[in-house]
Amino acid sequence: MSITTILTSLNNLEKLHRSLLRIAYDKTAVIKSGDMDGLDQLLKDEQSHLAAIIQMDGLRQRDVAQYLADQGRSASLNPTVTDLLDVVPEADKQGLEEARDRLLHAIHDLKWQNDLNQKLTYQSLQFVNLSLDIVRPRPESANYSKTEINGNKVMKDKTTFDANA
């Protein structure tokens, strides 16, 4: 197993995450415009990207585990690039670190954009609920409503709960 195979996996993971980031940017615009059909399509695209990322990451883990085994090292359950950096020659270390850093940067950008999309979605939901509350009258509570008769507060309806029991 060579380092180039692992570098290829890392580069492919970065490309997939950058593509997912473009979808997240598009999702922001769609959320702002309120296009539900567009949002539905973007969510489907996002799911296919996630499946590809999971598959590619499984290949990366397999390649890293194989490389570590070839070097006489035991691999953990989920071998990481950090595990690999401990055993690779110095000539390959810089390329791996750069690929890892680019991937981590793409993941960080994606996380930030997804947080923004989550906040926008939450605000949209709050606006919809507020609009519904304005249009729809609230029913009065059936259990603990009180009315005033001659200045004295009296229970309008008796509850089925007997406090003396």
Side-chain angles (χ1 to χ4, degrees), residues 104-165:
L104 289 175
H105 185 68
I107 291 170
H108 179 285
D109 290 347
L110 182 61
K111 182 183 180 314
W112 187 87
Q113 192 64 34
N114 281 335
D115 286 344
L116 174 64
N117 287 342
Q118 182 181 8
K119 289 174 185 172
L120 287 172
T121 303
Y122 182 72
Q123 286 178 351
S124 296
L125 184 61
Q126 282 182 322
F127 178 76
V128 168
N129 284 333
L130 177 67
S131 299
L132 286 174
D133 286 345
I134 290 172
V135 173
R136 182 181 58 207
R138 292 218 179 248
E140 289 190 30
S141 177
N143 288 337
Y144 296 104
S145 297
K146 295 182 180 182
T147 59
E148 287 191 34
I149 299 176
N150 297 331
N152 296 329
K153 290 188 178 184
V154 180
M155 293 292 292
K156 183 162 72 170
D157 294 325
K158 286 200 168 213
T159 62
T160 58
F161 179 74
D162 187 4
N164 293 328

Side-chain angles (χ1 to χ4, degrees), residues 22-37:
R22 282 190 295 278
I23 291 173
Y25 287 139
D26 292 344
K27 198 185 327 179
T28 302
V30 167
I31 291 170
K32 286 179 181 179
S33 69
D35 179 15
M36 291 297 110
D37 293 332

Side-chain angles (χ1 to χ4, degrees), residues 65 68-69 71-76 79 83:
L68 291 173
Q71 300 299 317
R73 300 280 181 120
S74 62
S76 63
D83 296 335

